[in-house]
Amino acid sequence: MSMSNIAVELTDVQYAYGSTTVFTQLSLSIRPGEFLGIVGPSGCGKTTLLSLLGGHLTPTQGSITVVGRPRTVYQSDGLFPWRTVRENILIGLREVPDVAEKERRLQEMLSLVGLSDFAENYPHQLSGGMKQRVELARALVGESEILLLDEPFSALDYLTRLRLRQELSRLLKERPRTVALVTHDIEEAAQLADRVIVLSERPAYPKEELTIAVPRPRDPTDPAVITAIHRILTVMGIERQ
């Protein structure tokens, strides 16, 4: 695969916390515009992998190539509580020098996420789902080409998670990005991702790779989604073949 067809590439990556080896020879790639889901047992190194992709950690051995600027959305509330919705989203536009252009992009993004009427509200005045929409807006409004999602909807109730999955698919159609999603929610990975990698226990390696060749957005009851869920559960040893 030529570099023009790669947004992210890991080659023989090794990473360890002290005496704990997380990865030994991990290799994987993500194509530009692809949505990659990463699942696996608790503690296998999913969040560590995302931190390596985001440049927050450096591999012990091996190489990581990232073509473009990554931005991460975390599972915990990452909004600044003393800033309004407007001010939080503007952080994603801090590299845009033109004031008029910054305001135009802000208003466009507020409209896209349906928060135009809440621009002057503070995070404590928002529901959990609205806060997460602000997080996504801040990540998508800037110049970053790669979106790294670390369990972004895990703290929300099931119905809100369903709504936000649809919202995310819609936003990515409007603002395409290369996406890597780490999640414990297998249904979420199968519904959102173009490709899902199932990691093994530590030291982790890709145990299975599934391609879900159905356009997004998808319904959670789509046969392709259900088939992928069953396969992932089987690979993880939770469901028998």
Side-chain angles (χ1 to χ4, degrees):
M1 190 181 292
S2 69
M3 288 308 296
S4 62
N5 292 325
I6 292 174
V8 177
E9 184 166 50
L10 284 76
T11 305
D12 296 332
V13 166
Q14 177 176 317
Y15 188 80
Y17 291 109
S19 61
T20 302
T21 300
V22 184
F23 304 113
T24 50
Q25 288 183 307
L26 178 66
S27 296
L28 64 87
S29 61
I30 310 175
R31 296 182 297 275
E34 183 180 24
F35 195 131
L36 180 71
I38 302 163
V39 300
S42 182
C44 73
K46 296 186 295 296
T47 294
T48 300
L49 175 54
L50 217 61
S51 295
L52 287 165
L53 296 180
H56 307 299
L57 296 176
T58 303
T60 313
Q61 290 181 21
S63 65
I64 299 176
T65 301
V66 178
V67 182
R69 284 162 289 188
R71 192 176 291 270
T72 306
V73 176
Y74 297 99
Q75 58 181 326
S76 55
D77 186 1
L79 300 179
F80 294 104
W82 60 89
R83 295 180 185 266
T84 63
V85 167
R86 171 192 177 84
E87 291 166 343
N88 268 286
I89 295 175
L90 278 172
I91 292 170
L93 289 166
R94 59 186 177 275
E95 295 176 4
V96 178
D98 185 86
V99 175
E101 174 64 9
K102 189 178 291 191
E103 183 65 24
R104 185 192 67 77
R105 291 198 201 180
L106 170 68
Q107 294 303 326
E108 182 181 55
M109 184 54 69
L110 282 168
S111 178
L112 269 178
V113 297
L115 291 173
S116 297
D117 293 339
F118 297 88
E120 303 306 325
N121 286 52
Y122 288 89
H124 74 271
Q125 298 172 309
L126 306 176
S127 67
M130 292 168 77
K131 288 179 187 177
Q132 208 61 33
R133 279 153 66 194
V134 178
E135 291 253 31
L136 289 172
R138 185 170 64 187
L140 289 169
V141 77
E143 299 300 323
S144 59
E145 294 85 9
I146 300 168
L147 190 59
L148 306 175
L149 303 176
D150 185 6
E151 298 274 4
F153 308 139
S154 63
L156 306 173
D157 65 87
Y158 181 68
L159 289 178
T160 303
R161 291 204 306 271
L162 280 179
R163 284 195 292 270
L164 281 173
R165 288 179 205 166
Q166 295 293 330
E167 187 83 1
L168 178 58
S169 291
R170 183 181 67 81
L171 288 171
L172 288 173
K173 194 171 183 179
E174 297 280 346
R175 299 288 181 91
R177 294 287 193 282
T178 302
V179 183
L181 165 72
V182 158
T183 181
H184 284 95
D185 190 329
I186 291 167
E187 180 188 88
E188 184 170 274
Q191 187 181 355
L192 287 174
D194 303 312
R195 186 162 53 105
V196 178
I197 287 177
V198 184
L199 294 178
S200 68
E201 298 276 0
R202 275 197 321 256
Y205 63 90
K207 199 172 180 181
E208 181 94 354
E209 180 179 306
L210 297 90
T211 297
I212 305 168
V214 177
R216 294 181 265 119
R218 307 180 191 118
D219 190 272
T221 59
D222 188 297
V225 173
I226 292 171
T227 299
I229 291 170
H230 287 323
R231 182 59 191 160
I232 293 167
L233 290 172
T234 300
V235 171
M236 293 179 69
I238 299 168
E239 186 173 288
R240 294 181 181 178
Q241 288 184 320

